[in-house]
């Protein structure tokens, strides 16, 4: 078994442009309860952007393992370069840690780098709490990480553009599934487990 280490930095993704065709726009507009997609702000542009970003990151990162995440968090209990390296990883926008850990600790790690008062203590406390959460986890499904964020962004787009009478869970699911079809994203598991789709659509993307 390979030795656990700090996860690798993920290269900045280079999305390829995604274009919505006329029929796709009409189908999505109906999901929003509209005749056409809004242009101010531009709904089609927002949808294309999140699709292209997902396509650029959908393969996940091999070094985002539960063992590597635990090492990163435990290294915050140490001193010197070992500690500094862990802080750098957690502060990095393209860190190879999972999105939940990154979302919980990045701001605190940046505060440490900025030498803010009590930042080290707060980061260590948050890291200890996260370690307890993942203590019994055997692995992190790296391929689901980009999909969770993608679904979270789809929810935000739906909430921003859908007519008020359409803002119900079933309408959000319908919109998400329509995007999956248009973008040729395989999500057969969601057809059998709508609760899992609801969980993914509820992803907090505030750190994404």
């Amino acid at each position: 078994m390979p030795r656990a280490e700090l996860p690798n930095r993920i290269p900045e993704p280079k999305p390829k442009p995604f274009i919505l065709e006329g029929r796709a726009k009409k189908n999505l507009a109906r999901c929003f309860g509209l005749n056409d997609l809004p242009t101010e702000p531009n709904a089609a542009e927002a949808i294309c952007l999140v699709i292209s970003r997902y396509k650029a990151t959908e393969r996940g990162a091999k070094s985002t393992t539960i063992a590597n995440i635990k090492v990163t968090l435990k290294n915050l209990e140490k001193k010197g370069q070992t500690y500094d390296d862990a802080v750098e990883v957690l502060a990095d926008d393209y860190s190879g840690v999972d999105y939940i850990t990154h979302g919980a600790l990045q701001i605190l790690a940046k505060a440490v780098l900025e030498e803010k008062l009590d930042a080290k203590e707060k980061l260590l406390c948050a890291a200890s709490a996260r370690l307890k959460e993942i203590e019994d986890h055997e692995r992190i499904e790296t391929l689901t990480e980009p999909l969770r964020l993608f679904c979270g962004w789809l929810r935000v787009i739906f909430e921003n553009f859908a007519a008020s009478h359409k803002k119900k869970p079933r309408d959000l699911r319908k919109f998400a599934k329509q995007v999956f079809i248009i973008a040729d994203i395989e999500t057969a598991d969601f057809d059998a487990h709508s609760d899992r789709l609801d969980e993914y659509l509820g992803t907090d993307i505030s750190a994404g």
Side-chain angles (χ1 to χ4, degrees):
M1 179 178 291
R3 183 177 173 224
E5 58 187 6
L6 297 180
N8 295 330
R9 189 176 193 272
I10 301 172
E12 183 175 354
K14 298 179 180 179
K16 295 180 180 179
F18 187 89
I19 300 174
L20 283 176
E21 302 296 340
R23 179 173 293 182
K25 287 183 178 180
K26 288 291 184 183
N27 289 341
L28 288 170
R30 282 196 288 269
C31 292
F32 286 137
L34 305 170
N35 294 323
D36 295 296
L37 289 178
T39 56
E40 290 293 338
N42 196 314
E45 187 176 281
I47 294 168
C48 287
L49 180 60
V50 296
I51 290 175
S52 63
R53 285 181 175 174
Y54 171 70
K55 290 286 189 178
T57 59
E58 63 181 328
R59 298 184 67 181
K62 291 183 179 179
S63 70
T64 305
T65 66
I66 199 70
N68 288 352
I69 302 305
K70 288 179 178 178
V71 163
T72 304
L73 297 176
K74 288 178 180 178
N75 281 359
L76 295 175
E77 301 171 359
K78 301 178 181 179
K79 297 181 179 180
Q81 194 61 49
T82 299
Y83 175 86
D84 292 342
D85 289 346
V87 173
E88 289 283 354
V89 166
L90 291 167
D92 193 339
D93 285 337
Y94 297 100
S95 166
V97 300
D98 65 287
Y99 87 94
I100 295 177
T101 301
H102 195 240
L105 303 183
Q106 185 188 30
I107 292 176
L108 296 173
K110 286 184 175 181
V112 170
L113 295 179
E114 295 168 3
E115 299 183 353
K116 290 186 177 180
L117 183 66
D118 297 331
K120 289 187 176 182
E121 291 79 4
K122 291 177 181 178
L123 178 61
L124 181 58
C125 182
S128 298
R130 180 62 179 147
L131 267 172
K132 289 180 181 178
E133 290 177 356
I134 63 175
E135 187 174 9
D136 297 326
H137 292 196
E138 295 182 2
R139 61 181 179 176
I140 289 175
E141 296 288 352
T142 58
L143 293 181
T144 69
E145 291 285 300
L147 183 58
R148 282 181 180 275
L149 280 175
F150 177 57
C151 288
W153 279 112
L154 290 183
R155 183 196 75 251
V156 170
I157 290 172
F158 184 81
E159 290 174 347
N160 286 341
F161 291 105
S164 58
H165 69 280
K166 292 289 289 184
K167 294 182 180 179
K168 298 176 182 177
R170 66 174 180 270
D171 298 315
L172 173 57
R173 284 186 219 112
K174 183 178 179 181
F175 165 67
K177 289 180 179 180
Q178 187 63 44
V179 173
F180 298 151
I181 292 170
I182 291 168
D184 194 25
I185 297 170
E186 177 56 48
T187 56
D189 190 45
F190 289 154
D191 294 330
H193 304 282
S194 59
D195 58 328
R196 188 167 298 169
L197 174 56
D198 288 342
E199 176 195 342
Y200 278 40
L201 289 169
T203 299
D204 178 6
I205 52 84
S206 58

